[in-house]
């Protein structure tokens, strides 16, 4: 009986070894001022680096991890690292059972837009089922002054403390960016996006998912989401442009000369920290509340399809109706336009 138990234990150990993910970390160095990393599935962590090279630490996972191939080299003038998956059916359990997505992947492991004429082959990623079960988690150390881009099909991305321009592209998954000195670009098909503490321009584009953006100091801030609310504040920029197909917009402590807020459906709540040259708020349906300093000025126009108009600013009226107000506010310099298909409009002092 003792021998049987030992044999079973040995078989169990062999089974565990066969299914244990490959966990040894591999280190790769990429030189050059412009660097891009491509990976289909896994977690990506981008942190500050030292020296002159971008350092990529790769930890493979999954029972088929050993089949993954790490390729490096110059593509289109950029130093690249690509995690190549030798199958067109990829299983990544972190996606969750029943979840799946497809994309076209080129033979060199790149995907998405590019100058290559090779459109690639269809590759399907899913949370369960048959296929190559493997992924790669990456920790990427980026020295100051590099142009860096991370391309991920599915998985989460965390960028923090980097002193470089950073671009993140992901098909699906949460993206968090914090404490970055440099321009930030985030493009995600689905998943929440959080950006905080950036000294540079910010561009966020998501197909669906909530957006949180706070403590930004740059020239231009652009947020575009197909569906999902946008919240944040402490934004200082020459221009701020927020557009969402559906979802509320809530922003406070906004200091910007040119502001445009547009939602297909959803309320808008805006708190200004200073006067503006141009303010345009447009919502298909939903209430609009704008709170501003007492010295707010400009040519004012407010329209609402249904809902009242309220203001505690002194306005030299040109036209007054239940659903329309036009006039001159304060010094009259600049333009303020608020339009909602249905919902109350309030223009109030801070």
């Amino acid at each position: 009986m003792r021998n049987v138990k030992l044999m079973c234990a040995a078989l169990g150990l062999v089974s565990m070894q066969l299914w244990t993910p490959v966990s040894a970390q591999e280190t790769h160095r990429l030189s050059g001022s412009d660097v891009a990393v491509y990976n289909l599935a896994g977690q990506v962590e981008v942190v500050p680096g030292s020296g002159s090279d971008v350092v990529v630490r790769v930890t493979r996972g999954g029972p088929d991890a050993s089949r993954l191939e790490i390729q490096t080299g110059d593509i289109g003038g950029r130093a690249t690292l690509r995690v190549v998956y030798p199958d067109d059916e990829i299983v990544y359990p972190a996606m969750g059972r029943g979840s799946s997505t497809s994309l076209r992947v080129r033979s060199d492991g790149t995907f998405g837009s590019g100058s290559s004429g090779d459109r690639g082959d269809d590759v399907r990623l899913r949370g369960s089922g048959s296929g190559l079960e493997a992924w790669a988690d990456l920790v990427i150390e980026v020295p100051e002054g590099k142009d860096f881009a991370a391309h991920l099909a599915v998985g989460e991305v965390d960028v923090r403390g980097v002193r470089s321009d950073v671009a993140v592209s992901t098909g699906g998954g949460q993206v968090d960016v914090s404490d970055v000195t440099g321009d930030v670009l985030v493009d995600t098909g689905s998943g929440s996006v959080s950006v905080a503490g950036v000294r540079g321009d910010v561009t966020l584009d998501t197909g669906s998912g909530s957006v949180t953006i706070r403590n930004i100091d740059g020239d231009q801030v652009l947020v575009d989401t197909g569906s999902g609310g946008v919240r944040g504040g402490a934004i200082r920029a020459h221009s701020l442009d927020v557009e969402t197909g559906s979802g509320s917009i809530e922003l406070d402590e906004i200091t910007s000369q040119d502001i445009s807020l547009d939602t297909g459906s959803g309320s808008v709540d805006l708190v200004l920290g200073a006067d503006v040259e141009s303010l345009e708020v447009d919502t298909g349906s939903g209430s609009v509340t704008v709170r501003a300093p007492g010295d707010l000025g400009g040519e004012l126009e407010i329209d609402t399809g249904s809902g009242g108009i309220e203001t505690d600013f002194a306005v030299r009226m040109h036209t007054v109706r239940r659903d329309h107000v036009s006039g001159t506010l304060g010094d009259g310099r600049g333009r303020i336009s608020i339009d909602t298909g249905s919902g109350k409009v309030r223009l109030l002092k801070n």
Side-chain angles (χ1 to χ4, degrees):
M1 178 66 69
R2 182 173 178 275
N3 290 337
V4 171
K5 289 182 178 179
L6 287 174
M7 184 178 296
C8 290
L11 288 171
L13 180 60
V14 170
S15 176
M16 287 178 59
Q17 289 175 341
L18 287 173
W19 287 92
T20 299
V22 177
S23 58
Q25 193 177 75
E26 310 161 42
T27 300
H28 302 266
R29 295 181 176 273
L30 305 174
S31 60
S33 59
D34 194 353
V35 174
V37 171
Y38 294 82
N39 182 30
L40 288 181
Q43 307 231 358
V44 175
E45 184 179 358
V46 183
V47 297
S50 59
S52 59
D53 293 341
V54 171
V55 177
V56 183
R57 305 189 189 280
V58 182
T59 302
R60 307 176 188 220
D64 298 320
S66 62
R67 295 180 58 193
L68 299 180
E69 182 181 353
I70 310 299
Q71 296 184 2
T72 60
D74 184 277
I75 295 179
R78 305 184 95 183
T80 67
L81 178 142
R82 293 99 57 204
V83 183
V84 179
Y85 293 68
D87 205 320
D88 57 7
E89 296 283 344
I90 311 299
V91 178
Y92 181 42
M95 293 178 65
R97 183 175 294 273
S99 297
S100 66
T101 188
S102 298
L103 73 162
R104 298 187 73 90
V105 182
R106 292 179 279 271
S107 58
D108 60 8
T110 63
F111 49 89
S113 60
S115 58
S116 171
D118 179 11
R119 296 184 61 239
D121 298 319
D122 286 324
V123 173
R124 183 183 180 194
L125 297 102
R126 51 189 175 181
S128 59
S130 60
L132 178 83
E133 186 171 339
W135 59 89
D137 294 332
L138 311 179
V139 177
I140 304 168
E141 301 171 7
V142 180
E144 183 174 353
K146 300 286 186 179
D147 287 335
F148 175 76
H151 301 270
L152 181 68
V154 291
E156 297 182 358
V157 181
D158 182 14
V159 181
R160 63 181 184 275
V162 175
R163 301 296 183 262
S164 299
D165 293 345
V166 176
V168 175
S169 174
T170 175
Q174 180 175 317
V175 177
D176 294 311
V177 179
S178 61
D179 189 24
V180 171
T181 300
D183 295 343
V184 171
L185 168 65
V186 176
D187 186 346
T188 177
S190 63
S192 63
V193 176
S194 174
V195 176
V198 173
R199 287 155 294 283
D201 293 349
V202 175
T203 302
L204 309 179
D205 189 343
T206 175
S208 63
S210 63
V211 173
T212 303
I213 181 168
R214 180 166 292 278
N215 194 18
I216 310 299
D217 194 344
D219 182 61
Q220 187 177 64
V221 176
L222 301 173
V223 179
D224 188 346
T225 176
S227 63
V230 178
R231 294 171 176 79
I235 297 172
R236 298 164 295 279
H238 177 75
S239 66
L240 170 64
D241 190 333
V242 177
E243 181 174 355
T244 175
S246 63
S248 62
I249 299 174
E250 299 177 19
L251 299 170
D252 61 70
E253 298 180 61
I254 303 301
T255 303
S256 178
Q257 292 299 302
D258 298 305
I259 301 173
S260 176
L261 308 179
D262 188 337
T263 174
S265 63
S267 62
V268 175
D269 196 329
L270 171 67
V271 180
L272 295 174
D275 193 7
V276 297
E277 291 182 1
S278 175
L279 170 62
E280 184 172 357
V281 180
D282 191 343
T283 175
S285 64
S287 63
V288 176
T289 301
V290 176
R291 296 176 175 85
D295 63 352
L296 181 71
E299 292 300 320
L300 175 67
E301 187 139 5
I302 300 176
D303 285 283
T304 176
S306 62
I309 298 174
E310 175 189 348
T311 180
D312 54 13
F313 284 88
V315 181
R316 297 186 294 280
M317 297 294 187
H318 305 322
T319 304
V320 181
R321 297 195 303 269
R322 182 192 62 81
D323 60 353
H324 176 81
V325 168
S326 67
T328 302
L329 184 66
D331 60 16
R333 293 198 295 267
R335 177 177 176 272
I336 300 169
S337 174
I338 301 174
D339 190 342
T340 176
S342 63
K344 186 173 184 178
V345 176
R346 299 193 302 163
L347 179 59
L348 308 175
K349 293 182 180 180
N350 285 342

